[in-house]
Amino acid sequence: MSGNPAPRPMIHRAGPLLAAGFLALAGTGAAFAHHGWGSYDANTVVTLEGPILQAAYEFPHGHVIMEGRGKRWDVVLAPPSRMNSRGLPREELTVGKVAKVEGYPSKVTPTEMRAERITIDGKTIELR
């Protein structure tokens, strides 16, 4: 009988590596989902005004769904920290509130725009 302990199953050794690999891949999802601002037409300004149909105050960018110009728009806003610091807390971005957004349409998705500013309750917030 030797003094060497029995080898541990490989799964115990691979566990930390698998966990690290999973975390690395999970972190890339936001990077792939986040697109550059070059995919928006900064030469064309779109203005929409109407009730917010859906709202999300989430990372990496908040967004609202609104109707205008005969279609539903997904309006990409600023990150929550910027919206909050500039005077647009989560409570102001609610379904049913009337908002006016000004921004640039997507070159890729015809129902998406990037908002430069949003006006709610008579207050305009610069988002960029």
Side-chain angles (χ1 to χ4, degrees):
M1 184 156 139
S2 79
N4 293 336
R8 292 183 1 190
M10 183 58 83
I11 190 114
H12 291 295
R13 291 182 191 155
L17 291 175
L18 288 173
F22 175 75
L23 289 173
L25 287 174
T28 61
F32 285 126
H34 186 265
H35 43 79
W37 297 130
S39 64
Y40 295 92
D41 180 2
N43 295 316
T44 304
V45 176
V46 173
T47 302
L48 302 174
E49 187 166 1
I52 296 172
L53 304 175
Q54 294 177 16
Y57 205 88
E58 61 191 17
F59 178 81
H61 300 282
H63 71 94
V64 294
I65 305 291
M66 298 176 64
E67 285 208 27
R69 298 182 174 208
K71 56 186 170 183
R72 278 189 173 206
W73 290 82
D74 183 2
V75 181
V76 179
L77 304 171
S81 59
R82 184 179 310 152
M83 289 190 292
N84 194 50
S85 70
R86 294 192 179 172
L88 183 63
R90 177 185 307 268
E91 300 78 34
E92 294 295 315
L93 200 62
T94 58
V95 172
K97 275 203 174 188
V98 174
K100 177 181 175 184
V101 293
E102 299 170 69
Y104 307 120
S106 170
K107 296 176 186 176
V108 179
T109 307
T111 58
E112 181 179 292
M113 71 179 281
R114 172 187 126 191
E116 286 293 305
R117 67 195 51 82
I118 185 168
T119 303
I120 297 180
D121 294 335
K123 183 168 84 172
T124 300
I125 294 93
E126 294 294 326
L127 299 172
R128 303 289 163 224

